[in-house]
């Protein structure tokens, strides 16, 4: 283990909710909850104002509404979050070639490998400068932890929240960890925590006192041994640069089980189209098509088909997914569907020809709706509204849907966002990230002057240099 606290852990503060507050002046300082809004919706992120009411991520949205009925409940905008994440990760890669992203809003950085820090003083200076740069570029705050290992750096960033920096000085680790609950250590979930509690082990210090032999007896050789080492503040895991994706997939969870086989087929076709969009955006093709079906009784089936060569042809992926579906019984109802591609490769010349041919034939066909697709934590962040068109909409025309929190533009009133919709009406608040809190107006859901819009930048662009 290194002797200087040069492992940095960055964790953006209440990322999705903070991004929404930055984008919507009327929500700043207010309780905001981002996640699925249907009966099966789950909270993806809650603002710190909402957390005061007991709302937290992975909580059912219905429970959150009971705890914080006056909070703003918004559908995720993953396109915006990915854009901000790319800006943040870019700042991290300026510090070191060893950046290990854990999610859109969290990453480890090896500062020593980047030659920017070799002791506590220089590491702290880098951390403070990083936090300032993130705020300048994105308008958001992040918390930074610095320590000699990944485990300790992550614990430090959690201690620093919100909007802070904590450095764990070498030699103080055992004293810091000792009184903390066992769940603080990586790999200690509810089941392991309960097992340790029944053995009378509640704190990290008590893990260390129990000894390695007792931990191995309770948890097995691998888990018990690693947990004992971490209780002694030993963590040799290196920061590993971002690995290439091994698969690309999309999935949707439905508020109401789908029983109609025609609708199930339409959903699978739509998911295949969206999967190919992500595949192409990543510059990949793949050989194996995977279908995932979670049925009404929560049983999950996975079927796959391997092609003769890699492809990114939407027609090929769509047809393969349809063939896989024919082997699955869905008569009892379906609550989740997913389509994925594995066995990834870079583009081949054949892929490019297939893409050109598909685009040439697409003119006479009805295109599937484009959708922002990103699977959030668990089933927490399922896009809804325009991004998650239901199977019924794919079969027949339906009333326009407006997702709460998503951007719109009105021909007369300009840019705004959807506060809510229902009964043929949609309520819009007209404001931008750089404006004062705006006014609210209500329109028919089919108002021809109202249309979806792209998110606006959260911070003002720097002034361009003027020529002499």
């Amino acid at each position: 283990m290194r002797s200087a606290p040069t492992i940095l852990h960055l964790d953006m503060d209440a990322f999705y909710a903070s991004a929404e507050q930055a984008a919507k002046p009327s929500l700043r300082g207010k309780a905001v909850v981002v996640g699925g809004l249907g009966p099966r919706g789950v909270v993806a992120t809650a603002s710190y104002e909402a957390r005061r009411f007991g709302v937290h991520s992975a909580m059912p949205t219905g429970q959150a509404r009971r705890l914080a009925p006056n909070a703003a409940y918004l559908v995720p905008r993953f396109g915006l979050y990915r854009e901000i994440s790319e800006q943040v990760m870019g700042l991290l890669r300026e510090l070191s070639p060893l950046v290990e992203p854990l999610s859109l809003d969290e990453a480890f950085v090896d500062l020593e490998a980047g030659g920017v820090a070799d002791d506590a003083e220089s590491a702290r200076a880098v951390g403070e400068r990083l936090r300032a740069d993130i705020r300048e570029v994105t308008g958001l705050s992040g918390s930074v932890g610095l320590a000699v290992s990944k485990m300790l750096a992550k614990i430090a960033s959690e201690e620093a929240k919100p909007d802070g920096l904590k450095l764990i000085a070498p030699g103080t680790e055992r004293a810091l960890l000792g009184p903390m609950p066992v769940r603080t250590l990586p790999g200690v979930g509810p089941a392991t925590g309960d097992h340790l509690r029944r053995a009378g082990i509640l704190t990290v210090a008590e893990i260390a006192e129990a000894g390695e032999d007792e931990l191995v007896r309770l948890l097995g050789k691998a888990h018990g041994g690693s947990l004992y080492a971490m209780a002694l503040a030993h963590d040799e895991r290196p920061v590993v640069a971002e690995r290439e994706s091994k698969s690309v997939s999309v999935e949707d969870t439905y508020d109401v089980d789908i029983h109609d086989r025609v609708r199930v087929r339409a959903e699978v076709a739509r998911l295949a189209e969206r999967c190919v969009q992500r595949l192409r955006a990543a510059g990949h093709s793949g050989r194996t098509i995977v279908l995932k079906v979670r049925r009404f009784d929560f049983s999950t089936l996975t079927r796959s088909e391997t092609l003769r060569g890699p492809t990114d042809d939407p027609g090929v992926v769509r047809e393969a997914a349809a063939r896989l579906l024919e082997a699955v019984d869905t008569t009892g109802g379906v609550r989740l569907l997913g389509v994925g591609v594995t066995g990834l490769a870079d583009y081949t010349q054949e892929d490019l020809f297939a893409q050109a041919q598909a685009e040439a034939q697409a003119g006479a066909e009805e295109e599937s709706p484009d959708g922002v697709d990103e699977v959030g934590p668990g089933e927490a962040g399922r896009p809804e509204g325009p991004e998650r068109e239901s199977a019924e909409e794919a079969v027949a025309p339906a009333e326009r849907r407006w997702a709460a929190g998503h951007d719109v533009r009105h021909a007369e009133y300009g840019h705004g966002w959807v506060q809510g919709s229902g009964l043929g009406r949609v309520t819009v608040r007209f404001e931008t990230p750089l404006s004062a809190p705006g006014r609210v107006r209500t329109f028919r859901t089919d108002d021809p002057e109202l249309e979806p819009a792209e998110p606006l930048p959260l911070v003002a662009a720097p002034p361009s240099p003027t020529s002499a």
Side-chain angles (χ1 to χ4, degrees):
M1 185 178 295
R2 65 188 66 204
S3 59
T6 54
I7 298 295
L8 181 149
H9 181 258
L10 170 72
D11 196 355
M12 300 294 288
D13 299 323
F15 182 46
Y16 298 172
S18 294
E20 297 298 346
Q21 288 176 318
K24 302 171 172 63
S26 58
L27 296 185
R28 292 169 192 169
K30 308 278 183 66
V32 174
V33 179
V34 179
L37 304 189
R40 291 175 176 163
V42 179
V43 174
T45 306
S47 69
Y48 286 97
E49 295 84 357
R51 295 180 192 188
R52 296 192 188 106
F53 295 96
V55 180
H56 57 78
S57 61
M59 171 183 284
T61 303
Q63 183 181 352
R65 287 187 186 276
R66 290 190 292 273
L67 293 172
N70 296 321
Y73 288 83
L74 308 176
V75 174
R77 296 188 296 161
F78 286 107
L80 172 65
Y81 310 149
R82 281 199 303 270
E83 182 179 337
I84 299 171
S85 176
E86 289 168 3
Q87 293 175 316
V88 172
M89 296 302 166
L91 292 173
L92 298 182
R93 293 187 180 98
E94 291 177 6
L95 300 177
S96 173
L98 292 184
V99 175
E100 183 178 345
L102 305 179
S103 63
L104 288 177
D105 63 332
E106 185 180 2
F108 288 110
V109 185
D110 188 329
L111 300 180
E112 189 175 21
V116 295
D118 56 11
D119 58 21
E121 184 178 351
S122 58
R124 183 184 294 275
V126 170
E128 293 290 8
R129 187 169 68 250
L130 172 65
R131 294 178 57 241
D133 289 345
I134 288 173
R135 186 174 291 279
E136 180 181 358
V137 171
T138 70
L140 305 181
S141 67
S143 295
V144 167
L146 292 156
V148 297
S149 69
K150 290 167 68 172
M151 176 188 74
L152 292 165
K154 185 173 174 64
I155 290 172
S157 70
E158 188 65 31
E159 293 275 301
K161 282 185 169 293
D163 193 18
L165 180 148
K166 183 177 179 67
L167 184 147
I168 299 178
T172 67
E173 298 93 349
R174 291 282 301 274
L176 175 75
L177 286 175
M180 291 183 172
V182 295
R183 290 287 301 274
T184 302
L185 299 180
V188 182
T192 300
D194 190 54
H195 201 53
L196 292 171
R197 181 187 57 79
R198 289 197 299 269
I201 299 173
L202 304 178
T203 67
V204 175
E206 289 170 344
I207 291 178
E209 291 167 5
E212 185 172 8
D213 291 344
E214 177 66 7
L215 267 294
V216 169
R217 187 187 69 80
L218 289 170
L219 304 173
K221 185 174 182 180
H223 195 185
S226 65
L227 198 60
Y228 177 70
M230 287 188 288
L232 298 179
H234 296 160
D235 177 18
E236 301 294 341
R237 295 174 300 159
V239 176
V240 180
E242 185 174 12
R243 299 183 180 93
E244 286 196 18
S245 173
K246 295 181 180 179
S247 65
V248 171
S249 63
V250 299
E251 61 184 48
D252 273 349
T253 300
Y254 304 99
D255 295 337
V256 178
D257 291 344
I258 302 176
H259 294 82
D260 189 326
R261 186 72 173 184
V262 174
R263 294 180 180 177
V264 174
R265 291 193 188 102
E267 274 293 279
V268 168
R270 183 178 63 83
L271 289 166
E273 295 280 352
R274 288 164 57 183
C275 182
V276 170
Q277 290 172 13
R278 290 192 62 193
L279 190 69
R280 288 182 171 180
H284 291 309
S285 58
R287 297 186 65 226
T288 302
I289 314 304
V290 181
L291 175 71
K292 177 179 177 181
V293 179
R294 181 168 298 153
R295 298 188 291 191
F296 69 100
D297 58 357
F298 287 87
S299 62
T300 302
L301 304 177
T302 303
R303 300 287 184 267
S304 63
E305 175 181 320
T306 299
L307 309 174
R308 286 178 295 178
T311 185
D312 73 334
D313 184 341
V316 172
V317 175
R318 187 172 58 244
E319 290 168 11
R323 287 194 298 271
L324 293 169
L325 178 63
E326 292 308 309
V328 178
D329 180 10
T330 62
T331 52
V334 170
R335 61 178 284 115
L336 177 147
L337 290 168
V339 174
V341 178
T342 67
L344 300 188
D346 292 333
Y347 273 125
T348 64
Q349 190 170 14
E350 289 76 13
D351 295 328
L352 296 176
F353 282 127
Q355 180 178 343
Q357 184 179 20
E359 290 173 351
Q361 294 174 347
E365 299 179 358
E366 181 181 359
E367 295 182 355
S368 294
D370 290 336
V372 176
D373 186 85
E374 177 74 28
V375 177
E379 293 179 0
R382 294 289 181 262
E384 297 183 5
E387 287 79 21
R388 184 169 176 264
E389 185 185 42
S390 69
E392 184 173 0
E393 288 177 307
V395 174
E399 180 183 279
R400 294 170 74 186
R401 295 175 62 189
W402 302 96
H406 281 228
D407 297 84
V408 294
R409 176 168 290 280
H410 190 273
E412 179 179 353
Y413 301 109
H415 192 95
W417 58 277
V418 176
Q419 279 204 172
S421 64
L423 302 177
R425 313 293 284 180
V426 55
T427 300
V428 177
R429 184 178 290 274
F430 290 97
E431 60 186 8
T432 72
L434 306 181
S435 73
R439 296 186 60 183
V440 174
R441 297 182 183 274
T442 300
F443 308 91
R444 298 193 320 273
T445 54
D446 60 353
D447 190 319
E449 295 190 318
L450 189 67
E451 60 183 7
E454 293 297 319
L456 296 177
L458 300 185
V459 297
S464 56
T466 57
S467 57

